[in-house]
Amino acid sequence: DTERGVELRIADVGPGIPEAARDAVFDRFVQLTGGASPTRTGRGLGLSFCKLAVLAHGGRIWIEDAMPGAVFCMHIPTEVDT
């Protein structure tokens, strides 16, 4: 990828995100079941807020496998003076 910018990658060692659900988890109020803590108090908004912020800056956000876990990735382009 030759696009200039900043890439941030955050890895965890949790149960991971199934490939079929990787786009959906960025939608509002989406939460995955199974493997999650029974005491979790989230509302399914965290990743949707991340997506909104990244898109507002012209970037992109996605999830990759970490085996175990997941890698949450974002790329924010930077402007280059010419």
Side-chain angles (χ1 to χ4, degrees), residues 7 10 13 27 81:
E7 187 168 294
I10 301 170
V13 293
D27 294 338
D81 293 331

Side-chain angles (χ1 to χ4, degrees), residues 31-58:
Q31 294 183 344
L32 297 182
T33 58
S37 168
T39 60
R40 181 171 70 191
T41 59
R43 300 288 183 248
L45 292 172
L47 289 175
S48 67
F49 287 147
C50 292
K51 180 181 178 180
L52 287 171
V54 169
L55 292 178
H57 288 89

Side-chain angles (χ1 to χ4, degrees), residues 2-71:
T2 60
E3 183 181 2
R4 291 183 175 262
V6 175
E7 187 168 294
L8 177 65
R9 301 170 66 82
I10 301 170
D12 69 20
V13 293
I17 308 289
E19 191 169 350
R22 289 185 190 157
D23 287 332
V25 296
F26 293 107
D27 294 338
R28 291 181 300 166
F29 308 116
V30 171
Q31 294 183 344
L32 297 182
T33 58
S37 168
T39 60
R40 181 171 70 191
T41 59
R43 300 288 183 248
L45 292 172
L47 289 175
S48 67
F49 287 147
C50 292
K51 180 181 178 180
L52 287 171
V54 169
L55 292 178
H57 288 89
R60 63 185 190 279
I61 188 166
W62 69 97
I63 300 172
E64 297 177 354
D65 271 330
M67 293 192 271
V71 182

